[in-house]
Amino acid sequence: SNTPVKVAVTGAAGQIGYSLLFRIASGALLGPDTPVQLRLLEITPALKALEGVVMELDDCAFPLLAGVETSDDANVAFDGANLALLVGARPRSKGMERGDLLEANGAIFTAQGKALNASAASDVRVGVTGNPANTNALIAMRNAPDIPQERFSALTRLDHNRAISQLAAKTGAAVTDIKKLTIWGNHSATQYPDIFHAEVGGRNAAEVVDDQAWVENDFIPTVAKRGAAIIEARGSSSAASAASATIDAARDWLRGSADGDWLSMAVASDGSYDVPEGIVSSFPVTTKDGSYEIVQGLEINEFSRGRIDATVQELTDERDAVASLGLI
Ligand code: NAX
């Protein structure tokens, strides 16, 4: 029999959810032969809006959609989940300090970590999109002691895809010609998109570009500030592209990265590249059958070292802040 894969999505009535759910239900995540059951979590005041989204899912008559459950209880939504996409989070509101934001999200991700620990399937993979994504993933991981920490990741695939698009435009290449790009560190303005190991049509990208000023003054800030540019243009934050990256990341994690290429994923550091063990930081990874491996042995030049150290410093500061709040 073809048992449906249970995919839990939090924040399902939000903007990203409105794009994400329909693509999962259409087969973009698990392929054309795998039925999917959606298990949707929202806060109580958003359950009515979520019912409207479910009506639209019904109205698509997706052949692969084997059912939709909704709840405002994480233990119900995560029950038996094989994949949990944690999209819902508390946005920063006016006048909110960084510490307040970490605390508000800490409450959400401690509870969801505990619920995953208690209710999810034994093969669960957890992808965190909701911001601050790296630290939210760290909190969920540390509150789910029975789930191996390699089952948690935070989304830097949108940054990765943005960087591929910018590099393709600069070099006149197709996006499919760009390989081995890396996002290091935090999904924040300090992230470091690294082209020194990337390839454009099989040639070293930094040599093809041959313009360090462009890398420093144009490429890196454009990728790192893309989210703000989209808010400025669209009047709301990136949603369809964030949903698309959430799908790409989960699909490649479960089904594997391409030969001769790698991906960017924020995962628990094992100390590789002198990133302190335990923080959730973005690395170059290869994936296969739901597991990842951090790409080893890359030579890090002085410029990259400084950028990696800066974004990692921000992550250790966030880790220290949530530790002092008792969240991990
Ligand atoms: P929305 O505000 O449209 O939707 C968020 C939804 O989450 C809301 O419906 C809300 O009710 C729900 N929610 C809040 N607390 C919840 C809880 N405890 N349990 C379940 N649901 C809860 O935001 P949207 O634009 O969809 O963005 C969602 C998150 O993705 C935000 O944190 C956003 O900052 C983050 N992003 C992360 C990106 C990344 O690359 N990692 C890029 C896009 C996006 O900015």
Side-chain angles (χ1 to χ4, degrees):
S1 78
N2 212 348
T3 314
V5 174
K6 294 184 179 177
V7 180
V9 178
T10 74
Q15 304 195 78
I16 294 174
Y18 196 65
S19 180
L20 181 62
L21 302 178
F22 295 85
R23 294 200 54 204
I24 297 171
S26 74
L29 174 62
L30 298 162
D33 302 317
T34 307
V36 56
Q37 186 199 80
L38 288 170
R39 306 192 61 83
L40 309 180
L41 181 68
E42 258 297 350
I43 54 173
T44 314
L47 284 177
K48 179 156 183 261
L50 185 58
E51 280 315 311
V53 176
V54 174
M55 287 161 71
E56 288 203 69
L57 283 165
D58 290 343
D59 294 350
C60 293
F62 285 118
L64 292 170
L65 187 57
V68 185
E69 302 287 330
T70 64
S71 184
D72 57 3
D73 178 343
N75 281 295
V76 174
F78 295 153
D79 187 33
N82 307 108
L83 176 68
L85 301 174
L86 309 187
V87 177
R90 178 77 189 277
R92 192 193 290 244
S93 46
K94 221 175 161 209
M96 208 174 185
E97 300 291 336
R98 187 173 186 77
D100 302 333
L101 184 73
L102 288 171
E103 197 163 10
N105 280 295
I108 294 171
F109 287 85
T110 50
Q112 292 186 0
K114 290 185 170 101
L116 285 164
N117 199 61
S119 308
S122 61
D123 69 348
V124 70
R125 267 79 186 162
V126 184
V128 179
T129 296
N131 279 322
N134 300 53
T135 296
N136 288 342
L138 175 69
I139 294 169
M141 174 195 293
R142 293 284 287 270
N143 282 275
D146 302 327
I147 302 176
Q149 66 176 19
E150 300 77 30
R151 305 288 192 76
F152 289 81
S153 73
L155 189 75
T156 50
R157 184 61 175 268
L158 179 55
D159 309 300
H160 180 97
N161 288 348
R162 286 167 170 167
I164 286 177
S165 167
Q166 293 299 320
L167 185 57
K170 169 73 175 173
T171 57
V175 289
T176 47
D177 291 331
I178 311 281
K179 313 275 187 220
K180 299 184 177 175
L181 198 127
T182 306
I183 305 294
W184 297 94
N186 201 0
H187 168 68
S188 76
T190 67
Q191 67 174 265
Y192 172 47
D194 177 358
I195 71 163
F196 289 99
H197 302 283
E199 294 172 3
V200 180
R203 295 178 57 208
N204 179 271
E207 284 168 21
V208 172
V209 167
D210 192 26
D211 186 352
Q212 179 65 14
W214 177 79
V215 170
E216 287 184 38
N217 305 326
D218 209 327
F219 173 71
I220 294 173
T222 298
V223 173
K225 295 178 189 164
R226 189 70 164 178
I230 287 172
I231 293 174
E232 174 66 26
R234 207 174 82 87
S236 35
S237 57
S238 42
S241 55
S244 193
T246 299
I247 299 252
D248 287 348
R251 181 199 59 219
D252 291 347
W253 193 3
L254 298 175
R255 297 206 269 164
S257 51
D259 286 342
D261 200 2
W262 65 59
L263 312 167
S264 302
M265 268 169 84
V267 298
S269 177
D270 60 359
S272 294
Y273 301 100
D274 293 325
V275 177
E277 232 174 285
I279 62 167
V280 174
S281 191
S282 188
F283 287 98
V285 301
T286 56
T287 56
K288 196 181 172 197
D289 298 331
S291 300
Y292 65 82
E293 276 180 38
I294 296 174
V295 175
Q296 296 297 322
L298 300 178
E299 209 175 288
I300 304 300
N301 65 23
E302 202 184 322
F303 177 76
S304 294
R305 188 73 258 168
R307 294 293 177 131
I308 294 170
D309 288 348
T311 187
V312 163
Q313 182 63 51
E314 183 181 49
L315 284 170
T316 53
D317 290 348
E318 288 184 16
R319 191 260 329 266
D320 293 347
V322 298
S324 73
L325 289 165
L327 301 170
I328 61 171

